[in-house]
Amino acid sequence: MRVLGIETSCDETSAAVVERDEDGSGSILSNVILSQINEHAAFGGVVPEIAARAHLSAMDHIVRSALDEAGLGLDSIDGIAATAGPGLTGGLMVGMMTAKAISAARDIPFIGINHLEGHALTARLSDNVAYPYLLLLVSGGHTQILCVRGLGDYERWATTIDDAVGEAFDKTAKLLGLGFPGGPAVEQAARNGNAERFAFPRALQGQDTLNMSFSGLKTAIRREAESLAPLHEEDIADLCASVQLAIADVLADRCSRAMDRFAREAGGGDGSMTLVVAGGVAANSLIRSSLDTVCNDAGWRLVAPPARLCTDNAAMIAWAGLERLERNERSPLDLAVRSRWPLDNEAIALVGSGRRGQKV
Ligand code: KG4
Ligand code: ZN
């Protein structure tokens, strides 16, 4: 099966073609991503109206490029998947309407996909990971630990109770004048910094919860920055390195405790244990290496898909679509977009569990 995917939930316009190989693993035939970063940079966050318009003007060209790069016409496509939520409504509508129009005109099955499921299943596309696995999902709008038992079977074991990790990176960058998106800028600045200089809070550490909290970081950083002002390059580097280490420590601590729970309750039948890290923040190398240490110590396998598949892209949407279409699932052409759409419907909604996009 070969699926065309479309992603427009935030500030990347993306289209991709993926297929499943004979051995069950996935292949990416194309994955075209157009970032709108320049359009939003001056505002320090994603402006929904600008995003929707930019998606609209790029959409046709991006879909055409994805098909061209894959060397395929629509005749060779067996299904079309588009992100139906969560995300910014205007952008979601552009992508979904495009997918529905192609589906109706060419009589190709259509399926609407949860963006978070796209992130959650990326490791199956990139590394052929088998169910069940433990998932750390860390993006600009979400920070969750989920037990992934199977397709559509996700149990949220932990969430941030306030800011998402990506948001913490973005706010740090904004405070220090490093621009948007903040994650890559903070990581870059941290390279020359001393991570031990500032002891930033590791909230909820040692408490009987897997949940996380990151909103205290921005107050702590602001306080340090104000007392140091004017900031020198070295101060900025040290602040970035210290905040990055605080975040990596918290994620490693919560994952290690969630791994204990997974081993007790959900481990793979063959005894194999896998931690998958997904979402834009999974591109961060310190976070990857600290999770790697936790996994090595526990005899677990860590799967971190390549950075290009961690940030928003349509290949992950096409893949989630492929898994669902293979189960003969289809969406009706009047499917509505959903700005909020948690992966685990049973879990209590907390601030960090259903929101995307840094609206300004
Ligand atoms: O998954 P994603 O592309 O979009 C959402 O679904 O939110 O994640 C974007 C987030 C942003 O907050 C960005 O600052 C963060 O991922 N990010 C990073 C890095 N690259 C992107 N955070 C830390 N380190 C990075 N290298
Ligand atoms: Zn995302």
Side-chain angles (χ1 to χ4, degrees):
M1 175 171 281
R2 224 176 257 146
V3 175
L4 169 68
I6 295 177
E7 155 65 31
T8 55
S9 66
C10 198
D11 59 343
E12 263 94 27
T13 315
S14 180
V17 181
V18 306
E19 68 180 11
R20 196 195 278 280
D21 300 331
E22 304 266 299
D23 65 354
S25 62
S27 284
I28 300 173
L29 305 184
S30 64
N31 189 18
V32 181
I33 305 167
L34 177 70
S35 168
Q36 304 174 357
I37 283 177
N38 293 338
E39 270 105 315
H40 301 287
F43 304 95
V46 178
V47 184
E49 191 61 37
I50 294 176
R53 284 166 194 260
H55 286 306
L56 191 58
S57 62
M59 194 75 259
D60 288 0
H61 172 66
I62 297 291
V63 169
R64 165 79 36 222
S65 304
L67 290 167
D68 287 350
E69 251 181 51
L72 298 169
L74 284 170
D75 295 346
S76 316
I77 298 296
D78 306 303
I80 304 183
T83 307
L88 303 173
T89 309
L92 290 168
M93 285 171 68
V94 172
M96 270 242 299
M97 288 309 294
T98 306
K100 287 174 177 178
I102 301 172
S103 163
R106 303 298 292 250
D107 199 21
I108 303 171
F110 160 73
I111 185 129
I113 292 296
N114 183 322
H115 177 88
L116 301 172
E117 180 167 85
H119 282 304
L121 303 185
T122 301
R124 291 176 50 75
L125 166 64
S126 63
D127 294 82
N128 205 6
V129 172
Y131 298 121
Y133 52 89
L134 187 67
L135 171 72
L136 172 67
L137 176 56
V138 272
S139 70
H142 295 90
T143 296
Q144 303 180 355
I145 298 174
L146 294 137
C147 176
V148 179
R149 295 180 197 272
L151 177 61
D153 188 356
Y154 315 109
E155 200 182 331
R156 197 192 75 195
W157 282 2
T159 180
T160 172
I161 56 170
D162 40 54
D163 291 356
V165 183
E167 221 175 333
F169 274 105
D170 293 336
K171 285 177 178 171
T172 302
K174 202 168 184 175
L175 247 152
L176 300 177
L178 295 177
F180 178 84
V186 170
E187 180 170 16
Q188 175 68 31
R191 286 216 172 97
N192 309 316
N194 170 10
E196 310 292 334
R197 179 162 163 206
F198 304 101
F200 286 130
R202 274 78 167 152
L204 305 180
Q205 194 110 317
Q207 293 188 27
D208 191 21
T209 175
L210 290 177
N211 284 342
M212 294 155 271
S213 161
F214 298 100
S215 67
L217 281 175
K218 59 178 184 288
T219 321
I221 295 161
R222 181 178 298 120
R223 201 177 302 128
E224 292 292 356
E226 280 170 2
S227 76
L228 288 168
L231 292 178
H232 298 289
E233 205 170 308
E234 193 184 333
D235 300 322
I236 294 179
D238 293 347
L239 285 164
C240 287
S242 303
V243 76
Q244 187 177 244
L245 181 64
I247 291 173
D249 279 355
V250 168
L251 294 176
D253 173 73
R254 274 348 109 82
C255 280
S256 126
R257 288 150 44 109
M259 284 158 63
D260 291 342
R261 176 171 171 190
F262 186 93
R264 285 194 308 272
E265 295 181 18
D270 58 356
S272 64
M273 303 286 181
T274 307
L275 173 68
V276 169
V277 56
V281 180
N284 185 281
S285 13
L286 180 72
I287 292 174
R288 281 173 181 247
S289 71
S290 61
L291 293 176
D292 205 32
T293 306
V294 168
C295 284
N296 273 335
D297 290 351
W300 278 52
R301 173 184 178 212
L302 173 70
V303 175
R308 191 176 158 78
L309 293 179
C310 284
T311 47
D312 289 350
N313 68 90
M316 69 181 192
I317 302 303
W319 177 260
L322 181 146
E323 289 212 26
R324 288 196 173 268
L325 289 161
E326 277 180 349
R327 278 207 320 205
N328 273 326
E329 291 182 32
R330 307 275 184 272
S331 297
L333 286 184
D334 62 357
L335 180 75
V337 303
R338 292 178 65 172
S339 57
R340 289 180 67 86
W341 187 1
L343 268 186
D344 177 352
N345 282 308
E346 316 274 298
I348 310 159
L350 291 172
V351 173
S353 64
R355 200 164 58 90
R356 295 195 64 240
Q358 296 78 32
K359 291 188 200 176
V360 292

